[in-house]
Amino acid sequence: MLQIAKAKTHIIFTDTSHNAGHAVRANMYQAFVLAAMKMHAYTRAAGRGPGSGGLAFALGGGASAGHAEGGRGLDGRKTARTSGAFLLGVIRQSIRYTYASIKNKASGKLARQAGSRCDITKDEVVWLGTHAFHSVLSIKRTVYTHAGVLGALRTDLERARFRGLRRKLKGIARESLEKMLRDIPF
């Protein structure tokens, strides 16, 4: 996941002295949409195999998930919530890593020599990433809802610190998501 996020953090994509701010934010959002799609595919594939329950199994909700050695099953919802917490941690870490990578590359020697700068804020990156993951995973909502992932991402998006950003970034997010879903079958 971290490598997917890192790919679009090169200064050529985030340089606001050479790219319009709208384009930089759209590039970021599209990178997060792609990362969310790939995460869903990886999670789904992890649950495949003989007798597995597909994605539900990968998140701990499958028929054979959670069986202890004595044959007693654990509560499937509890296991799904635990796996959901893991996925939520991966999502949040990917978003934080993306921001750190952007800032690192924007302050690097090559960027300084070229006169590059990146005016995207941490809150913008966090909102764009969180919104992208929430939007993509909402399409495949059932398992992510039971695991608590969608509710937690929605709560993150509703934080007061994002109030002004929602108005500023929602159009970019909508345009980018529609384009990605049109171009990539999901």
Side-chain angles (χ1 to χ4, degrees), residues 77-111:
R77 286 185 184 259
K78 182 178 180 186
T79 306
R81 280 192 300 270
T82 303
S83 298
F86 172 77
L87 284 180
L88 193 58
V90 168
I91 292 166
R92 289 174 174 157
Q93 181 182 7
S94 295
I95 294 168
R96 284 190 309 269
Y97 177 80
T98 299
Y99 176 73
S101 183
I102 288 169
K103 287 304 176 183
N104 184 42
K105 290 179 181 180
S107 64
K109 182 179 177 183
L110 178 64

Side-chain angles (χ1 to χ4, degrees), residues 52-53 56-67 76:
S52 77
F57 178 78
L59 286 176
S64 62
H67 286 284

Side-chain angles (χ1 to χ4, degrees), residues 16 21 24-25 28-29 32 95 99 102-103 118-131 157 161-162 164-166 168-169 172:
T16 53
V24 169
R25 287 158 183 84
M28 284 279 62
Y29 190 80
F32 283 126
I95 294 168
Y99 176 73
I102 288 169
K103 287 304 176 183
C118 180
D119 295 333
I120 193 165
T121 68
K122 182 176 184 178
D123 280 352
E124 288 174 314
V125 173
V126 170
W127 191 90
L128 289 167
T130 304
H131 189 276
L157 288 169
R161 75 182 213 219
F162 295 135
L165 288 178
R166 271 193 293 268
K168 177 182 176 182
L169 300 174
I172 293 170

Side-chain angles (χ1 to χ4, degrees), residues 19 54 105 116 174:
N19 299 304
K105 290 179 181 180
S116 300
R174 186 178 53 251

Side-chain angles (χ1 to χ4, degrees), residues 59 76-89 91-92 134 137 141-156:
L59 286 176
R77 286 185 184 259
K78 182 178 180 186
T79 306
R81 280 192 300 270
T82 303
S83 298
F86 172 77
L87 284 180
L88 193 58
I91 292 166
R92 289 174 174 157
H134 183 269
L137 299 181
R141 82 172 7 141
T142 305
V143 175
Y144 297 108
T145 299
H146 289 303
V149 174
L150 292 178
L153 292 174
R154 186 175 31 261
T155 298
D156 289 351

